[in-house]
Structures are given as C-alpha cells and as structure tokens.
Amino acid sequence: MKKTITPPASAGAEWTSRRINRCATQLFLFCFLSYACSYLGRKNLAACVPDMIDEGFLTKDFAAVILPCFMLAYGAGQFINGIVGTKIRPKFMVAIGLGGATICSLAMGLAPVATIMPFIWALNGLFNSMLWAPLLRTVTNQLPIERRSGAGTGLNAACSVGAIMAFLIPGFLLSLGGWRFVFYMTAGILFACFLTWTLGNAALSKYTKMMDEACRIERAALIEKADAEAAAQNKKKRSRSLPAVIAASGLWVVVFGLFCNGALRDAVESWAPTFLSEKFNMDSSMAAITSVLIPIISLSGTYIANWLNEKFIRNELYTSFIMFAVAALCIGGLFACRNLHFLPCIIFMAVSVSCMWGANLMFLTTIPYHFATLDMSAAVTGMFNSMIYIATALSTFLYGILSERFGWNVMILVWLGIGAFGAVVCLVFARFWGKKAALLDEGKI
C-alpha cells in the first residue's frame, strides 16, 4: 500500500485523498510547464545569433561576449537563490523568475544597440536561476510523499522537453519573422507561463497552505524524536545550520561525481552538431536537426534511473555509478564508430547524454530530497546546480580548445576518461553516502 501524507486536523474532512491527489497533479503541471518553457527564454539567443550577425547587428566577437553572461549569472544565481529559496515561499520566487525572464526577452527584442545586450542577458540568467530550487522545494513540501519521487523525475524530464522545444520553436519562429520576432514570441510564451503559475497557485492556495502545515508537523516530529534519542544517550544537540548540516552529512563525497556529470551532460549534446558537421560533412542545419534526437532519447534516462533507484538500489551514488559506467561504454562505442556512419554515433551520444540526465536526477533531485526533513532541499539543489553549471561552462570552453588543437579523437577520449572517473568515484563513496542518507531521513543529522 502506498504511503499517504496525513493532513493536519485543522484541515477538515473535505481534504480527501482524491482531492489532495487532484490538487497535487495540478501543482506539478504548473511546475513542469514553468520549467520546460523557461528553456525557450535561455536558449533563444543562440538560435538568433546567426541572423543577428548576418544583419550586421552583432559581430562574432561580441556574440561570444554576450552568450557567457547568462551562464555566469545563472551559476552564481543558483547558489544564492538556493539559500534564499529556503526563506521565501516558492510561489513568489518562481513568479519573480518568470516575470523577470519575460521582461528580459522583450528587452532583447527591443534593444536598439547590441552593447546593452550583455547586461540584459546576465539579468536573464539571474531571473532563470530563481526557478529550479524553489520548484524542487514545491515538490518536497507541497506534494504527498508518494507523489514526490515521480514528480521529481518529471521535473527533471522537463529539462529534456525544454531542450527539444528550444531546438525546434526558435527555428520555426525565425522562418516566420526576424530575430526580434523570436524574442517577442518568447516573451509572450513566458508571460503566459507567469500568468498560469500565479493564477494557478492562487486557486490552490488552500491546498498549499494545508500541505505546508502537514510538512512542518512531519519535520518537527522527526527532529523532536532525533533530539530525544540524542538526549537519552547524553549526546550534544546538533547544530542544524546549513554549513553544519553539509559538513555532518558528508556531502563533499558527491561533489566529484557532480563535476563529472556537468562536464558530460550538456557538453556532449552541445558539441554534437559540430561533430556531425565536421566528421560526416553534414551541413549545419541538417546536423542541428539530426541532433534533436539526443534530447528526445535522453528523456528516458531520468525515468530509468528513478526506476532503478526506487525499485532495486536505493542509493543515489550506486545508481549514478551505473549511469556513468553505461555512458563511458557508449562513449567508447562512439570512438569506435567515429569514422564509420553518423547513425551509430548519434545513438551512442544520445544514450550517454541520457545516462547523464539519469545521474543528474540523482544529484539535483533525489539527493536533495534527503535534506527535506530540515527544509534545506532548495539550498542543496541550488548549490549543486551551480557546481554543475560551473563544470559545464569550464568544460565547454576547454573542449573547444581540445577540438581545435588535437582533433576529435582526443576529445572523445577525454569524454571517456571523465565518464570512467565519474563511475569510479561514485562507486567508491556510495556505501558511505548510503549511511549518511539514512541518518538524514531520520532527522539525526
């Protein structure tokens, strides 16, 4: 029988299991829609850059200045907003993030000169960084316990859905109008998401308040029990500040796999069109269209990883070990097929990226769930997402140098080495993390 959350006594008899599940489904759909559509607001510039250069609005050198502004601001913002997200109600943070992203997209379309775009794009990164951590906190606080795992997997899958949308929609909009039209339409889509989120949360306000209260009572009971057990054993009461909890939980063991995940997850997907174009003489549009297969196939990775972890393994680092090991094998297959045909290369890249999204689920969703008892899941996932983005930014830059100086053979072997290293470190620290995770779940850290 599935475990269900017990509503507080003050909620009244009207809060039946069926009504709670219906409200939970609606709230999850608002979360999914908000995060998936946010990818349009962060990826549309890359699609517009060629047209902006052709018009003479941008130079290639200045485009290279604008694009990293989002990445730097987003990475810093994830760390800051993860901590801030433990203090501010998620519905307000997400509304600010969506509203700000809407304004930034509109401002990009209206920009009279290119020189103001780096500032607008950096602000866009800050606003987008207000989404992930509070959305995960929404899932951990405001959904019934039996719905949280599936919802976390679905929220992670929104990344792949968003990536597919970002591949297809800007290109379609460019065919209808100019690059400014792309930004205007993106702003319209984001504004629709802002309204849906705001009005939807207003309609569910009684439900979210009831679930917040239930979650508060659940946490208080666990912590009270853990403190009573510690007092009975004459142990000193633990500090539950964020630094103390991070130190006591041994969270540092996760960081090694985290950086490997960031170095492979987006990097392989980002470099796929260039690889196909250079190795198999595809034109750039055909290479980009073919590369859409990667995020489509990668959707399966989050669900497979969640199924393995929930049904059999129940340890995020052991599950991540499997994901890294399969990814490394696929990258080895990519190396073997690199001069044969593009189809097996696409399949090997897609499966490796899919595995990295599976590991990403463990790092950014399932591991932070263990900190929900202390209402620190937003802070932990924000910190982790920041680290992954830093790893992605550094690796993407270094891969460009490797490709230019040493060619694709060396770059694929570097990917293989990163995948193998990620598998090893996850396997080495998995047992240690399993013990710490159990203590977190019991409120003993």
Side-chain angles (χ1 to χ4, degrees), residues 21-31 147 204:
N21 281 328
R22 184 175 68 251
C23 291
T25 299
Q26 292 171 1
L27 184 59
F28 168 71
L29 289 175
F30 296 148
C31 293
R147 297 288 300 272
L204 293 173

Side-chain angles (χ1 to χ4, degrees), residues 271 278 397-408 411:
W271 280 97
E278 292 183 3
F397 172 72
L398 292 174
Y399 293 155
I401 296 174
L402 281 174
S403 174
E404 186 70 26
R405 294 190 179 181
F406 302 105
W408 285 103
M411 190 147 92

